[in-house]
Structure formats: C-alpha cells, structure tokens
Amino acid sequence: MAEVDVKQKILAANQAAAASIREGYQSSGTLVLNLISSPGSGKTTLLEATVKTLRDRHRLAAIEGDIATEKDADRLRAFGVPAHQILTGGACHLDARQVNQALETVGDPLVACDILFIENVGNLICPTSYDLGEDFKVALLSVVEGDDKPFKYPAIFSRAAVAVLTKMDLLPHVSFDLAAVRNQIRTLNPEGRLLEVSAKTGEGMDQWYRLLEEALERKKSGRSALAG
Amino acid sequence: MKKRQPEKMHEVGIATEIYRMSRAIAEEHGGGPLEDVFVRVGELTAVEPDLLEFAWQALTMETPDARSKLHVEYCPAVQMCQSCGQTPERARGRWLPLCPNCGTLLKVEGGQELDLERVSFLEKE
C-alpha cells in the first residue's frame, strides 16, 4: 500500500477558473459582483432598479444563474442591458467554469463592461463555496424571510463583504427584529458592510449606488474594490 | 438525450472533485485501487460531512475503488476575541455575539477548510 500527502484545495479546479476570470477583469477594471440569496429575496428586482439608474453612466452586464427559464435575463434585457442566462439544469449553484464558458460564448457584451453582476442560483447554502472570480460577494436577505437567517446560514453571511437587507418597505408589516439581524451579521462579519434598502420605494438605494460607484472607481484605479 | 453529471446535491459535486483528484494521484503512482482518502471540511463551507461520505459511496460503487473509504475531519469555525485573545467554546452551529469574558465583538476565524489531505491506495497487481 502507498500513501501520498496531498494537501490541496478540493476546489482547486474551480479556484483556477475563478483566478483566470479575476485576472481578465483586473486588466479591464471591471467590477464583478456575485449576488447570493434565497429565492424571492429580491436579487433581480434590486438589479432592475440598479440598471435603470446606472445604465446611462456605466456599461453594465449581467449573468443570471437559474435552474430553469430565461425569465431573469429577460427582465434585465428589457432595460437594454446585455444579460446571459446560465441554466444549471438542477445544480444549486454557479461554478467558475460555467462563468468562463459564458464569457467565451458571449464575448464582448460581458467582457467589455464596467460592472458585471452575476446573479447566482437562489440558494443561501451551496453558492457560498464557489468562487466565481468576483471582487466581492453580496448577500441579500429580505425582511419577510425572518430575523433568524444570518445565524442559520452563517457561511454566506461571514463571507459576503456586503450584506443587503431588502424589502425594507415591508418592515412595518412583518415581525422582524432589525436590531437582532444587524447584530447577527456584525457578529459573523465584523468588517462587512450592511445596507438596508427597498428597491420598490427607493429607500436606501442611494447608498447602494454609492457603494457600487466607489467600488468601481477603486477597481479602475487598480486598488481592491472595497476599502479596508 | 444529453447525459448529465449527477451534480444536483452539491456534496456530489465536491465528492466528484475529491474522487477525480484522488484517482489522478493514484494513477501517477501505478494506478491501483484507492484505500483511504482523508479530507478536511470546515464548518463554514456549507458541506455536510455525512452527505459527503454518502456521495463518496455512491460515486465509487461498482468501480475498482468501491472498497475505499472517505474520512472527513470536521473543522469548526473558531470565534476569536481580538481584545482578550480568548476563543470561547460554543456548540456547533451556535454563534456567540460577544465575548463572554470581556464583552467585545467576536471574530469568526477558520472553518473555511476544504482540503484533500492524503490518499492511500494499493499497488497495482
């Protein structure tokens, strides 16, 4: 019998694909975000509002990950933004190889842009493990999902540099302990940013846009997209 | 119909990757069947050790590696206090907002491990 010491990352192949994506976007200065949340927490709605506001100032593009249908890509195409749909056919997350394939297939619209939004498959668990070459992960949590979620899904909330509480306009109608959620997110990721928004009413959205534009400016000047 | 990889549970995808890496190492050394494969899985990877071991059995079934075993070392995320340096104990899946000793916000460290540590295999006959 023979034994070999390996000491390698299990996701090394994914990591290598992610590194090549990251390298490509480093030279173009494109800001790349990986949006992760459970289904129905408002990722696409946040993106609709975002592209509507920022499309005149920046070249935007999106990759949409879903198990089935092109609905999400269609919603963003309606705003004239190039959007590519990846259908995973059952897989619960996107991996870097799929993103690489999309970049090769689609080319310029996804490659030559200022901000690329990658909307992951709706799932708070599996997407966490797969680096897609993004500058940072954004975790979304809507106030209707319940105030216990960060501690129930610690992996994503500890890894996402930015957490966004969505559907804040519904806060008066649900029992959601905002202070407790802020505390949980801060516990899991003391250095992370937390935003509270409603894409519907526009509440807090200015902060989101400012965060994106500051990150883009940092990326364009060759610095890390988030300060600190 | 197009044949699809059975990647619907993500532990299957991870087990597939471990299997691919382990086989490649065995092939480099003569290509005998796998015996023991040791991996480390962190609490914050969203990978469940039981499901990973189950996926391994399913993947290696009816292959020359069917008798191999995947050994998962579970690595808890550590909550460190940057103020007093303590790492207070907590149960798996329970998070402490503040240091019980000095009241400072605790920082989560570790728990991100997802590593193939070592592989053993038989000599090819």
Side-chain angles (χ1 to χ4, degrees):
Chain A
M1 200 181 81
E3 188 168 291
V4 175
D5 254 353
V6 190
K7 302 225 185 301
Q8 266 185 40
K9 299 271 172 223
I10 289 165
L11 293 176
N14 186 75
Q15 225 78 60
S20 98
I21 296 170
R22 193 166 279 124
E23 200 185 317
Y25 284 124
Q26 193 63 43
S27 47
S28 63
T30 301
L31 177 68
V32 182
L33 305 186
N34 181 359
L35 284 87
I36 299 175
S37 79
S38 51
S41 62
K43 291 185 293 300
T44 317
T45 304
L46 181 79
L47 288 185
E48 281 177 319
T50 305
V51 300
K52 203 174 155 188
T53 308
L54 298 184
R55 66 182 165 176
D56 295 333
R57 284 182 266 169
H58 309 287
R59 295 169 302 163
L60 309 174
I63 292 177
E64 297 288 321
D66 278 293
I67 286 171
T69 84
E70 292 237 349
K71 281 178 189 295
D72 282 0
D74 284 340
R75 282 172 63 182
L76 297 181
R77 285 173 192 142
F79 293 94
V81 169
H84 177 75
Q85 185 79 48
I86 296 177
L87 295 180
T88 64
C92 48
H93 60 270
L94 291 175
D95 64 43
R97 194 181 35 109
Q98 292 169 316
V99 173
N100 242 339
Q101 272 169 8
L103 301 183
E104 277 169 26
T105 314
V106 180
D108 260 2
L110 295 183
V111 175
C113 58
D114 298 315
I115 307 179
L116 174 67
F117 299 99
I118 304 176
E119 182 181 337
N120 223 308
V121 180
N123 179 343
L124 274 177
I125 309 165
C126 314
T128 312
S129 306
Y130 291 84
D131 183 358
L132 302 181
E134 71 271 357
D135 288 291
F136 53 89
K137 292 177 173 56
V138 180
L140 280 74
L141 174 68
S142 68
V143 299
V144 294
E145 286 169 73
D147 52 24
D148 53 356
K149 293 300 173 288
F151 275 2
K152 285 180 90 169
Y153 300 90
I156 182 57
F157 289 98
S158 66
R159 283 194 185 184
V162 176
V164 181
L165 296 182
T166 61
K167 308 190 189 181
M168 285 297 284
D169 55 299
L170 295 178
L171 197 58
H173 309 288
V174 291
S175 47
F176 183 88
D177 187 340
L178 186 57
V181 168
R182 287 177 180 153
N183 200 28
Q184 288 173 42
I185 292 175
R186 208 159 74 93
T187 300
L188 292 166
N189 189 353
E191 281 120 35
R193 293 277 307 269
L194 173 62
L195 302 182
E196 299 165 7
V197 310
S198 163
K200 192 176 169 191
T201 64
E203 173 190 347
M205 290 296 283
D206 282 347
Q207 269 185 300
W208 165 245
Y209 301 141
R210 198 175 315 129
L211 182 141
L212 291 178
E213 294 195 306
E214 281 173 9
L216 176 61
E217 205 184 305
R218 294 178 64 85
K219 184 79 187 272
K220 290 257 182 249
S221 64
R223 289 174 292 170
S224 121
L226 288 177
Chain B
M1 236 184 82
K2 205 176 137 197
K3 204 175 165 204
R4 292 200 59 85
Q5 289 285 333
E7 289 197 352
K8 311 217 166 179
M9 173 175 83
H10 90 141
E11 277 80 2
V12 176
I14 305 233
T16 305
E17 201 54 36
I18 299 170
Y19 188 39
R20 191 189 63 76
M21 292 167 80
S22 305
R23 259 327 316 158
I25 289 156
E27 294 305 324
E28 271 175 40
H29 296 82
L34 296 171
E35 283 270 284
D36 294 292
V37 174
F38 295 87
V39 296
R40 301 175 77 214
V41 170
E43 182 171 6
L44 291 176
T45 56
V47 174
E48 192 48 49
D50 288 351
L51 292 177
L52 195 61
E53 287 170 4
F54 179 61
W56 181 267
Q57 285 173 26
L59 277 175
T60 53
M61 207 190 321
E62 292 171 14
T63 75
D65 304 304
R67 292 179 57 192
S68 67
K69 188 160 169 38
L70 183 71
H71 305 266
V72 180
E73 182 192 339
Y74 180 75
C75 307
V78 174
Q79 285 197 279
M80 242 269 297
C81 179
Q82 288 181 308
S83 174
C84 71
Q86 296 221 356
T87 53
E89 282 213 22
R90 69 175 168 87
R92 184 182 170 185
R94 289 191 169 270
W95 302 91
L96 306 172
L98 301 173
C99 177
N101 188 41
C102 69
T104 309
L105 197 66
L106 292 165
K107 195 175 157 68
V108 179
E109 287 183 344
Q112 314 272 20
E113 299 82 355
L114 199 54
D115 304 321
L116 178 57
E117 287 291 298
R118 55 184 206 280
V119 176
S120 71
F121 41 86
L122 294 173
E123 310 291 340
K124 194 152 189 169
E125 289 172 20

